[in-house]
Amino acid sequence: MRQKKLFIKTLEIGKKCLGNRHPWIATNISNLASCYKSQNKIDQAESLYSEALTLYRKLLDESHPSLTEALNNLGMLYINKKNMWKQKSY
């Protein structure tokens, strides 16, 4: 729980310093998403991963490593989400 508070505070400070449209902000949104994912808060993680991906797409070239990492993070979340759904259906 403490890690989530730290990620949120870091993001707030970053937005004050850099504004909302900066790759560093997208990275920290993704970090917060990972925190939610580790707590099995999949819907919150999905929303934040999507937000980070959208921001990266606006700011970076399609071949940038951060953009590919964001795509990978969201894709892995979808795989985990699908597996969780399958487990619940039994």
Side-chain angles (χ1 to χ4, degrees):
M1 193 65 119
R2 180 172 161 80
Q3 64 193 16
K4 182 177 79 172
K5 289 180 182 179
L6 291 172
F7 281 128
I8 291 170
K9 186 67 176 171
T10 300
L11 190 55
E12 289 171 357
I13 293 168
K15 285 181 177 182
K16 285 180 186 175
C17 295
L18 300 170
N20 291 331
R21 293 181 46 96
H22 192 280
W24 187 89
I25 299 300
T27 298
N28 282 278
I29 291 170
S30 185
N31 290 343
L32 181 57
S34 295
C35 178
Y36 280 115
K37 182 182 172 189
S38 73
Q39 296 172 350
N40 286 324
K41 295 180 179 180
I42 303 303
D43 291 336
Q44 293 95 326
E46 181 179 355
S47 176
L48 290 168
Y49 278 140
S50 294
E51 183 181 346
L53 178 60
T54 298
L55 188 53
Y56 279 134
R57 281 189 165 144
K58 289 178 182 176
L59 300 172
L60 304 174
D61 184 68
E62 283 291 319
S63 63
H64 194 282
S66 294
L67 180 59
T68 58
E69 183 177 359
L71 286 165
N72 183 67
N73 288 341
L74 191 56
M76 292 303 296
L77 182 79
Y78 288 147
I79 288 170
N80 291 338
K81 191 174 182 178
K82 182 178 178 182
N83 288 338
M84 287 172 57
W85 180 81
K86 282 182 182 179
Q87 289 173 355
K88 288 180 182 179
S89 66
Y90 287 106

